[in-house]
């Protein structure tokens, strides 16, 4: 029985890793997925070591982080690896998403693959948010207060939901304990979903830059394609190492090196950089309920995009109109992130409103209208 199980495992490894058929024209854009998996491993391992020394209690949380940084052997390295690893995780995931948008990886028959990836992204945001609360610095405390207060929009039960999240009448020790437990649990759920994501990928096969499926142009993943993932792994590790050893605080907020003070609100409450585009959309609507619904819609439309698509072509390499719209969207997304860092005044609110409209316009215009326009132009060209 044990020999049979071993043979089954080896057969699975052989069919899904070694002899897995892969399009020979895959470029380094297809290495972002494996890089994201590498980042997940870093986060789980470093987080486990940090949890050994962290105290999930409001009076000791901030001091325990300082203890990790100053007294635990190599604790500073583990903490900086975890904090900056989260940023790099989002960098490669954003690149992975943009690659999927450019090459049409959300189209038939890969809608389920796209939805599983979008779900992983949402869980990543939840995990990153509650993890940012754990150091119990100024931005941690007030970020938790602001974000959890958003749940008060539920009619009739909103206040009860917020108090249930807090475990009391304000963000405090029960909140921190719950967030600590969830932050430890969610990465393992994400890891499970990653295997589901990989299973769906292997069921339908990888997309490729041409956007076509062929069995005659495939090669084995090993030894031909794993080399590209290996190169991407070393590039990611090198850049991450430079940030950790030379610029460890460049991606963080200085206010989070001050212990949480419920009586002193920071001058400008700003989330981590990877939340800034959605934060900008949230605050561009003056109405609280409208802002929250708009931000929720900005995340939900990622799930809906495969259903909005009307194009029969996948790759933007053969869709010049869509390619232009796509790069305008990338620029718009960067402007959204910048807009989230600006003060709330009339000038910047106008910019935020424009780029927020541009965000939604890409999914509607790029999905529905561009596909129809391409079909119309192709039909006219063939009719001549």
């Amino acid at each position: 029985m044990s020999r049979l199980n071993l043979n089954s495992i080896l057969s699975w490894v052989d069919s899904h890793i070694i002899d897995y058929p892969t399009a020979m024209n895959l470029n380094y854009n297809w290495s972002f997925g494996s890089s994201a998996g590498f980042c997940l491993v870093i986060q789980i391992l470093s987080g486990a070591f940090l949890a050994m020394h962290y105290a999930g209690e409001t009076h000791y949380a901030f001091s325990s982080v300082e203890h990790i940084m100053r007294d635990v052997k190599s604790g500073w390295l583990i903490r900086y690896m975890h904090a900056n690893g989260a940023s790099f995780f989002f960098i490669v995931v954003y690149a992975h998403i943009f690659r999927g948008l450019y090459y049409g990886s959300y189209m038939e028959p890969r809608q389920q693959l796209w939805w599983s990836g979008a779900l992983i992204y949402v869980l990543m945001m939840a995990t990153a948010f509650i993890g940012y609360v754990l150091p119990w610095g100024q931005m941690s405390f007030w970020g938790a207060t602001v974000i959890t207060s958003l749940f008060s929009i539920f009619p009739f039960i909103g206040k009860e939901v917020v108090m249930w999240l807090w475990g009391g009448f304000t963000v405090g020790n029960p909140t921190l304990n719950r967030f600590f437990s969830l932050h430890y649990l969610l990465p393992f759920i994400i890891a499970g979903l990653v295997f589901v994501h990989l299973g769906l990928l292997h069921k339908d096969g990888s997309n490729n830059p041409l956007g076509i499926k062929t069995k005659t142009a495939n090669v084995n993943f090993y030894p031909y394609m794993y080399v590209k993932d290996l190169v991407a792994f070393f590039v990611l590790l090198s850049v991450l190492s430079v940030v950790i050893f030379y610029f460890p605080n460049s991606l963080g907020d200085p206010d989070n090196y001050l212990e949480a003070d419920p009586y002193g609100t920071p001058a400008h409450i700003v989330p981590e950089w990877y939340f800034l585009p959605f934060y900008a959309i949230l605050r561009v609507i003056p109405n609280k309920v409208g802002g929250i619904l708009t931000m929720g819609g900005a995340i939900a439309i990622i799930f809906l995009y495969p259903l909005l698509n009307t194009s029969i072509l996948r790759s933007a390499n053969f869709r010049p109109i869509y390619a232009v719209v796509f790069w305008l969207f990338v620029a718009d997304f960067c402007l959204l992130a910048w807009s989230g860092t600006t003060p709330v005044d009339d000038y910047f609110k106008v910019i935020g409103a424009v780029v927020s409209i541009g965000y939604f316009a890409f999914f509607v215009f790029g999905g529905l209208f561009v596909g129809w326009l391409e079909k119309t132009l192709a039909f006219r060209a063939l009719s001549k």
Side-chain angles (χ1 to χ4, degrees):
M1 185 65 179
S2 59
R3 180 176 296 179
L4 180 61
N5 290 337
L6 179 61
N7 289 336
S8 300
I9 293 173
L10 292 177
S11 176
W12 184 90
V13 171
D14 180 71
S15 61
H16 286 277
I17 298 179
I18 298 176
D19 292 333
Y20 174 66
T22 309
M24 65 169 59
N25 62 340
L26 295 190
N27 53 43
Y28 283 102
N29 289 321
W30 267 259
S31 298
F32 290 121
S34 60
S35 298
F38 169 64
C39 288
L40 178 61
V41 172
I42 288 178
Q43 293 306 98
I44 290 177
L45 293 179
S46 61
F49 283 106
L50 289 175
M52 296 176 186
H53 302 278
Y54 176 76
E57 210 278 336
T58 53
H59 292 95
Y60 305 108
F62 186 83
S63 299
S64 69
V65 174
E66 291 300 308
H67 166 68
I68 292 170
M69 292 289 293
R70 301 172 187 273
D71 302 325
V72 176
K73 187 175 182 179
S74 300
W76 62 271
L77 176 62
I78 300 172
R79 199 260 172 130
Y80 281 146
M81 185 183 299
H82 194 73
N84 290 289
S87 290
F88 275 75
F89 198 178
F90 274 93
I91 288 172
V92 295
V93 166
Y94 277 130
H96 192 56
I97 293 173
F98 286 137
R99 190 269 299 167
L101 290 172
Y102 186 84
Y103 290 108
S105 298
Y106 52 86
M107 296 184 187
E108 178 72 30
R110 298 182 181 87
Q111 295 98 324
Q112 293 180 342
L113 177 64
W114 177 265
W115 290 329
S116 66
L119 181 58
I120 291 173
Y121 173 59
V122 171
L123 290 178
M124 276 181 59
M125 290 196 292
T127 307
F129 162 67
I130 60 179
Y132 190 59
V133 176
L134 299 185
W136 209 243
Q138 270 287 74
M139 204 58 69
S140 297
F141 175 84
W142 289 103
T145 302
V146 170
I147 298 301
T148 52
S149 296
L150 299 181
F151 289 90
S152 63
I153 68 165
F154 290 111
F156 307 112
I157 61 171
K159 291 183 179 180
E160 285 74 15
V161 170
V162 173
M163 290 179 64
W164 176 76
L165 288 172
W166 288 346
F169 296 100
T170 185
V171 172
N173 199 60
T175 317
L176 185 62
N177 278 320
R178 294 173 184 189
F179 279 22
F180 182 35
S181 298
L182 287 174
H183 189 66
Y184 203 95
L185 173 65
L186 284 177
F188 295 100
I189 297 177
I190 291 174
L193 283 173
V194 166
F195 283 101
V196 173
H197 190 64
L198 289 174
L200 292 171
L201 172 67
H202 286 199
K203 179 177 75 71
D204 299 317
S206 298
N207 191 20
N208 60 77
L210 297 178
I212 59 176
K213 185 175 182 179
T214 174
K215 294 182 179 180
T216 59
N218 289 341
V219 295
N220 291 343
F221 179 80
Y222 180 89
Y224 299 103
M225 289 300 166
Y226 97 99
V227 175
K228 290 185 176 180
D229 288 346
L230 195 62
V231 171
F233 160 77
F234 282 115
V235 170
L236 176 65
L237 186 61
S238 300
V239 178
L240 178 60
S241 298
V242 170
V243 173
I244 290 173
F245 290 111
Y246 293 99
F247 313 100
N249 298 305
S250 58
L251 299 173
D253 195 298
D255 280 345
N256 231 31
Y257 280 95
L258 300 174
E259 189 169 1
D261 180 8
Y263 302 104
T265 309
H268 190 33
I269 300 176
V270 181
E272 289 288 78
W273 68 265
Y274 34 80
F275 295 134
L276 287 174
F278 301 102
Y279 176 67
I281 293 174
L282 167 69
R283 70 180 196 174
V284 80
I285 307 293
N287 179 268
K288 180 179 179 179
V289 176
I292 295 172
L293 292 178
T294 304
M295 182 185 67
I299 298 173
I301 203 168
I302 299 174
F303 288 86
L304 295 175
Y305 193 51
L307 305 178
L308 298 175
N309 174 65
T310 58
S311 175
I312 58 175
L313 296 175
R314 295 181 188 277
S315 177
N317 289 337
F318 307 106
R319 303 175 62 190
I321 300 175
Y322 179 79
V324 172
V325 172
F326 169 81
W327 288 113
L328 287 174
F329 170 70
V330 173
D332 181 89
F333 195 79
C334 295
L335 283 173
L336 263 179
W338 169 80
S339 176
T341 65
T342 58
V344 183
D345 59 33
D346 293 338
Y347 175 75
F348 291 114
K349 282 180 68 176
V350 172
I351 297 176
V354 172
V355 291
S356 296
I357 293 172
Y359 176 89
F360 289 98
F362 165 76
F363 290 99
V364 177
F365 181 81
L368 293 173
F369 183 73
V370 171
W372 171 82
L373 183 60
E374 289 170 341
K375 291 178 184 177
T376 303
L377 294 176
F379 178 75
R380 290 181 178 178
L382 292 173
S383 300
K384 292 181 180 180

